[in-house]
Amino acid sequence: MQRNVINLSRNKRRSLRKQESGVALLTTLLLLLLMTGLSLAMVISVRSDLLVNGYYRNFRGAFYAADSGLNIVRQQLVNQLSAAVPATVAINTQPIPAGTEANVVSSVNTSYGTNYTITGSGATSGSWPESFHIDTNVTNLTLVSCLPQGTGAGGTCPNPTGNPSSYQYQYSYSLSAIGQAQGGEKATITDSGNLTLLVSTAAGSSSSSSTTTQSFASWGMFIDQQNICSGSILVPGTISGPVFTNGSWTFGDTGKYIFTDSVGSAGANGGFQFSGGGPCDQLNAATDTNGATTIAPTFNQGFNRGQPSVPLPPNDFNQQRAVLDGKGMGSTAVSNTERNAALKNISKTAYPSGGATSGVYLPYKTVDALGNAIAPTLTGGGIYVEGNATVTLSPSGTNGQIYTIVNNGVTTTITITPGTTPGTGTTVVQSGSTTLNITGVPSVQDSSSNPTSDATMLYVNGSITALKGPGEGLAAVNDGTALTVTAANSVAITGDILYKSEPVTLTASGSTPADTLIPANDHKQVLGIFTASGDIQLNNQQSDRNLQIDASLATISQGGTGGLTNIGSSISNLNIVGGRIQNNIKNIGATTRNVFFDRRFAANGFAPPWFPSTTVATTTTTTVANNTTSVGAPNFSRVQWLYKSNL
């Protein structure tokens, strides 16, 4: 019984085991299916990530390509603007030529209007194959403003003034770049704003030594011998026109000094004399103080000390020769033989070959080159008087000039009436009942003896004991008359000598100072008075004791001692319209003295005819503006930055 039960249990277990066959295989298959699903999910996930990352990479690459392209093109704008600045530009000329911005736009559109690959270089070459191009319809570069700066600059770039030391350019710009990724993704970025560029200009110069001829009339005051701290001072007041001395100026504390133009001296120091027993300091300075007193002249155009000395004329040979030939050139004295060949008196008698003691002579001929008799024809530049004389100047008609000369008791009147062209017109000489008509008028002659301009040299080989106009306040020198009066010895001025038309103002009016040019009164009228060996003497015979002289006055020569000096009664008010050029300062005996510089003498070499001149050694400095141009770092000011993707 027991054995049967045991067998039954065994059979039952066998039957149960038969029912469980294949479960392991099914489990294995299920596990394999699960693993396959998981693997497939992982593959899909990884691939999706790769796709997403690839798209993001290309998308960002397109963005960076566009952004990099903008930076490249924007820098190219600066590079090409800088390249347009030449190494050298003319003074007062802007360094970036007008229209450059249009050329820059055209250039960048050409260079970057089609795909431009950013490949890198060196070890990174080809590592980033994105590209970009710009939208050529958007590219714009416009000049907004250009301002010259520094060195008294004014105006704008097209018309700068003052030789600016820099130029500030401001441009507005607009750019649009389309970035292209390797996978086809695109991104567009638009950038607009302002670009400021500073172009500096450092002026350079080249120097060369040369000599120039300068008329002494170009100085308002020239004193050869002015010793520093010698016991006398320069008279205070307003002094107009350029001022120079071959010595040194000494200023006092008894009044104010105002110099309207440049002041120069060969001496390195200025003298400052303090009154009341004070010291006279010698300083390389423009001002000086002693205790509570300061001497500070006003130098509107500088006080230049230690300048080269100005050579003086050795004699008046040129002035003598100007009468004979109208050229006034030569270093030797005029001989009696030369006078005999060129000069004749009213009786058509030649100047004596052995010399003369008196007489009025003019350079004219009565026969032609073939020896045929002709009407008297003037050949030279003026009037020659032998011996002492008095001279009265007066106008005739609209442009004629009358010379009344008293020499050795004989009165000779010469009336010069110019024609329409230089050298033409008539010269009429009268003495007593005799009249001589001469064809032509005194004039400046060129090297071929052709008249170039009407001008007269009145040379007195002696002293002029009285020089004046027709009366106080009356015109003496006509419009259009160019005249120099020269004496071998002294010239005494006894009355007013006035221009018919005053070329400069004699009083200040509001902000307009005295000695301001009056253009409507400039008729080329000019008078010079010169002596190389004597003084210009003031011997005023006018009852109100006032005196006016419209002329440049020169008493100057090498080794000379001449000056402007008073030999008569004191003068209440002395006006000089022109300038004074002297070897020495002397006593003018005037309560009030005014010197109004004729500013026509400061321009274009205008001066009295054959007036003494000097050869000045100069260093010519040629300024080359912007020969070292430099362009500063650009300053960008962004107004708008717009980004969008193109899918």
Side-chain angles (χ1 to χ4, degrees), residues 323-637:
V323 176
L324 275 61
D325 60 15
K327 300 175 184 177
M329 300 177 64
S331 59
T332 60
V334 177
S335 66
N336 286 333
T337 300
E338 291 175 292
R339 296 187 185 97
N340 173 261
L343 301 175
K344 294 178 177 63
N345 62 16
I346 192 173
S347 301
K348 302 180 183 179
T349 301
Y351 184 94
S353 59
T357 57
S358 65
V360 177
Y361 298 87
L362 287 90
Y364 66 93
K365 62 183 179 179
T366 56
V367 295
D368 61 17
L370 299 177
N372 300 316
I374 60 172
T377 303
L378 206 76
T379 58
I383 305 166
Y384 187 91
V385 181
E386 189 66 66
N388 297 341
T390 68
V391 178
T392 301
L393 305 173
S394 55
S396 173
T398 58
N399 65 340
Q401 187 65 43
I402 300 174
Y403 304 84
T404 302
I405 302 166
V406 180
N407 168 251
N408 195 28
V410 177
T411 299
T412 302
T413 302
I414 301 173
T415 303
I416 297 174
T417 306
T420 56
T421 58
T424 64
T426 60
T427 299
V428 179
V429 185
Q430 293 178 304
S431 182
S433 60
T434 304
T435 299
L436 174 66
N437 294 313
I438 303 175
T439 300
V441 298
S443 58
V444 176
Q445 310 285 326
D446 65 13
S447 59
S448 301
S449 297
N450 293 315
T452 59
S453 62
D454 294 334
T456 301
M457 169 61 66
L458 171 58
Y459 186 89
V460 176
N461 193 18
S463 295
I464 299 178
T465 57
L467 176 64
K468 60 185 178 64
E472 185 171 11
L474 300 178
V477 179
N478 207 350
D479 292 344
T481 293
L483 168 65
T484 294
V485 176
T486 303
N489 300 317
S490 293
V491 179
I493 297 176
T494 58
D496 283 353
I497 305 174
L498 308 179
Y499 291 129
K500 180 179 177 180
S501 301
E502 205 65 68
V504 296
T505 59
L506 305 187
T507 58
S509 177
S511 60
T512 302
D515 79 3
T516 298
L517 285 174
I518 307 173
N521 285 1
D522 183 6
H523 304 290
K524 307 306 178 186
Q525 70 278 26
V526 61
L527 173 62
I529 302 174
F530 169 51
T531 173
S533 303
D535 293 326
I536 293 180
Q537 302 167 337
L538 304 179
N539 187 12
N540 188 20
Q541 303 297 310
Q542 297 176 160
S543 59
D544 63 2
R545 297 170 54 203
N546 294 328
L547 182 64
Q548 180 169 323
I549 307 167
D550 293 354
S552 185
L553 310 175
T555 60
I556 195 96
S557 66
Q558 294 176 12
T561 59
L564 185 62
T565 183
N566 194 334
I567 64 170
S569 59
S570 63
I571 300 171
S572 295
N573 186 29
L574 172 64
N575 286 340
I576 299 173
V577 180
R580 53 177 181 147
I581 296 91
Q582 307 168 228
N583 278 114
N584 291 290
I585 289 181
K586 297 185 178 182
N587 181 23
I588 60 175
T591 303
T592 302
R593 181 264 299 140
N594 299 301
V595 179
F596 304 99
F597 181 56
D598 188 339
R599 295 204 169 273
R600 297 177 302 165
F601 296 157
N604 303 320
F606 182 75
W610 305 289
F611 203 67
S613 60
T614 182
T615 301
V616 179
T618 61
T619 299
T620 302
T621 301
T622 303
T623 300
V624 183
N626 311 343
N627 65 335
T628 55
T629 55
S630 60
V631 182
N635 179 25
F636 287 99
S637 175

Side-chain angles (χ1 to χ4, degrees), residues 11-50:
N11 292 332
K12 188 177 182 177
R13 287 195 297 270
R14 287 191 187 100
S15 176
L16 291 172
R17 281 196 294 269
K18 287 180 180 180
Q19 293 176 0
E20 293 176 354
S21 295
V23 172
L25 177 60
L26 181 61
T27 300
T28 300
L29 290 174
L30 289 174
L31 290 175
L32 181 60
L33 180 61
L34 178 62
M35 291 298 295
T36 301
L38 289 174
S39 297
L40 182 61
M42 289 179 63
V43 170
I44 293 173
S45 176
V46 169
R47 182 168 178 79
S48 296
D49 285 345
L50 289 174

